[in-house]
């Protein structure tokens, strides 16, 4: 950004707690009381109560101002799967949804198992300006763990540069897109190594043996049987296993896309022990459930699968009591023609979500179910701290992205109007309140 910009009249949202109604009333208050102007100059912000003089003045009256949001779980499909999406297309979707930093998963083609594959992704991301893309390493063999050790501990300038772009190690305890299930004998070594080198592990938790047993018993070939073929007990058993390893070695562990009340309770108990464990939940596991298979069909197929209304309620309680640390989308675009196949269970698993996460959460805040500060905690502060992303909050002297939101604008979500290359959304036609007006980067 060249020159200076003065933003006047907006309401800055931090991660400290507040009731959503006073914030919304404040955003609607034309008197300007309780508001702080933001002067942007030389790439940094200055908080001021005066109007000042700037090259450009932006009236943000009635708007909420957030730091750029973080989606800690995305699949941008590049390299190797660019017929589905690219870094450029999905970064545009992220920015349109107020997300300016993402953590991208290793199940591309080739998978991100080696330093060379990791470096290739970092190089590709240099041309992306819509958001900051960080990357996970993956592993299924001992050789892959050796590559992680090199990336994480080699003192050379090149390795230090690459490590700054690395979120940690992603482990798949069961197959999903890309079939990256880690070899069982490698799992414990991964936990031991990551504890040694202080590298966080993010785990996709499903138990392959329980899934195989469930599949053997089920004869129904409908898409709704996907939730039965990967049952809640599968997730809970896998979570219990990785918590045991985290306890044994002291490894920083993050549970990806938590989908069940059973799994949530295990995480809650582990936290009471003081174990270094965090977890995330996706919007689709919060807002959708097995009743939606009839409406969405194969578009609702994902891993872990969609769950019951009781699981929805348990996950919302986990957000309210602080057990759940993050909301992340598991944004996983597939083309419509890939989803609309027969037999239905052959459809690929995954749904897009990076652009719709914020409006869904803003609607919950507008309705008083969560606070706007909860959104900052779940989608900025906690992922920033856990993955050591180095993002700054809205404070004097900070250099960061700003997201300006109209908390009162009502609109409907339609896939054809979104920016992801896949062109669809499981939230088609959903009415939401709160829309991104402008995203500023400097």
């Amino acid at each position: 950004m060249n020159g200076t910009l003065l933003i006047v009249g907006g309401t800055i949202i931090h991660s400290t707690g507040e009731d959503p109604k006073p914030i919304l009333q404040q955003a609607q208050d034309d008197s300007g009381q309780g508001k702080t102007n933001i002067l942007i100059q030389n790439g940094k912000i200055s908080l001021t109560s005066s109007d000042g003089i700037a090259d450009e003045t932006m009236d943000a009256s009635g708007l909420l101002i957030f730091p750029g949001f973080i989606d800690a779980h995305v699949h941008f499909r590049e390299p190797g799967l660019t017929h589905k999406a690219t870094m450029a297309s999905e970064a545009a979707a992220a920015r349109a949804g107020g997300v300016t930093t993402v953590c991208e998963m290793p199940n591309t083609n080739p998978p991100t198992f080696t330093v060379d594959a990791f470096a290739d992704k970092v190089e590709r991301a240099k041309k992306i300006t819509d958001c900051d893309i960080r990357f996970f390493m993956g592993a299924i063999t001992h050789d892959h763990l050796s590559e992680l050790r090199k990336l994480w501990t080699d003192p050379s300038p090149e390795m230090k540069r690459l490590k700054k772009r690395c979120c940690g190690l992603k482990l798949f305890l069961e197959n999903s897109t890309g079939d990256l299930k880690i070899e069982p004998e490698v799992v414990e070594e991964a936990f031991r190594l990551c504890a040694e080198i202080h590298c966080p592990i993010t785990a996709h938790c499903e138990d392959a043996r329980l899934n195989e047993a469930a599949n053997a018993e089920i004869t129904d070939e409908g898409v709704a049987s996907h939730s039965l073929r990967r049952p809640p007990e599968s997730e809970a058993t896998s979570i219990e296993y990785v918590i045991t390893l985290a306890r044994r070695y002291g490894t920083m562990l993050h549970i990806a896309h938590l989908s069940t009340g059973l799994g949530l309770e295990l995480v809650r108990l582990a936290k009471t022990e003081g174990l270094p464990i965090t977890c995330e939940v996706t919007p689709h596991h919060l807002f959708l459930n097995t009743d939606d298979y009839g409406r969405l069909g194969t578009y609702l197929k994902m891993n872990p699968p969609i769950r019951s209304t009781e699981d929805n309620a348990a996950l919302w309680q986990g957000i309210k009591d602080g057990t759940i640390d993050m909301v992340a989308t598991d944004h996983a675009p597939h083309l419509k023609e890939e989803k609309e196949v027969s037999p239905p269970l052959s459809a690929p698993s995954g749904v897009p979500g990076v652009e719709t996460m914020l409006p869904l959460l803003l609607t919950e805040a507008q309705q008083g179910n969560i606070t706007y500060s909860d959104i900052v905690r779940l989608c900025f502060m906690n992922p920033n701290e856990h993955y050591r992303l180095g993002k700054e909050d809205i404070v004097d002297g900070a250099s960061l992205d700003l997201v300006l939101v109209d908390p009162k604008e009502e609109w409907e979500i339609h896939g054809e109007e979104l920016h992801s290359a896949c062109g669809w959304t499981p939230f088609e036609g959903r009415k939401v309140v709160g829309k991104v007006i402008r995203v500023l980067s400097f």
Side-chain angles (χ1 to χ4, degrees), residues 83-271:
H83 65 287
K84 299 176 186 285
T86 65
M87 288 185 188
S89 66
E90 305 318 285
R95 190 175 187 85
V99 173
T100 59
T101 303
V102 298
C103 300
E104 209 266 346
M105 293 295 163
N107 53 334
T108 45
N109 187 16
T112 320
F113 288 158
T114 66
V115 172
D116 286 347
F118 187 89
D120 175 66
K121 280 191 170 181
V122 171
E123 186 64 26
R124 290 169 181 267
K126 284 182 178 180
K127 64 181 180 291
I128 305 301
T129 58
D130 280 329
C131 74
D132 179 11
I133 308 178
R134 309 293 179 94
F135 301 99
F136 284 93
M137 285 284 281
I140 62 175
T141 69
H142 289 290
D143 286 344
H144 300 153
L145 295 181
S146 296
E147 291 286 306
L148 175 68
R149 179 188 286 277
K150 179 181 178 181
L151 177 66
W152 211 258
T153 64
D154 190 308
S156 69
E158 175 63 5
M159 289 303 104
K160 287 183 176 180
R161 179 184 73 85
L162 291 175
K163 180 184 176 183
K164 289 180 180 179
R165 312 303 299 172
C166 186
C167 308
L169 176 65
K170 172 65 180 293
L171 296 182
F172 292 83
L173 280 296
E174 168 65 301
N175 279 322
S176 191
T177 301
D179 293 339
L180 301 192
K181 181 169 75 72
I182 188 170
E183 296 175 3
E185 64 272 16
V186 182
V187 177
E188 186 157 357
E189 174 58 21
F191 274 79
R192 189 203 63 76
L193 171 64
C194 286
E196 175 193 335
I197 65 177
H198 305 291
C199 174
I201 288 178
T202 293
H204 176 135
C205 290
E206 293 183 87
D207 187 278
R209 292 168 299 179
L210 289 180
N211 287 353
E212 184 179 356
N215 265 290
E217 294 180 0
I218 295 170
T219 58
D220 181 2
E221 295 292 326
V223 68
S225 73
H226 185 64
S227 291
L228 303 176
R229 294 169 184 270
R230 302 174 84 120
E233 294 78 13
S234 169
E235 177 178 87
T237 298
S238 184
I239 289 175
E240 189 171 30
Y241 171 52
V242 294
I243 287 175
T244 298
L245 294 178
R247 183 185 296 113
R248 181 176 302 162
Y249 294 106
T251 316
M252 289 178 58
L253 172 63
H254 180 74
I255 307 298
H257 41 49
L258 186 68
S259 67
T260 65
L262 288 174
L264 176 68
E265 187 58 29
L266 291 169
V267 172
R268 183 178 285 119
L269 291 173
K271 288 189 171 196

Side-chain angles (χ1 to χ4, degrees), residues 372-403:
Y372 293 109
S373 287
D374 284 334
I375 303 175
V376 176
R377 173 177 60 85
L378 294 162
C379 303
F380 175 76
M381 185 186 75
N382 286 347
N384 186 43
E385 290 181 357
H386 179 76
Y387 291 116
R388 306 163 187 164
L389 300 175
K391 301 298 179 179
E392 297 182 274
D393 202 350
I394 305 176
V395 295
D396 270 320
S399 179
L400 75 159
D401 303 312
L402 295 176
V403 177

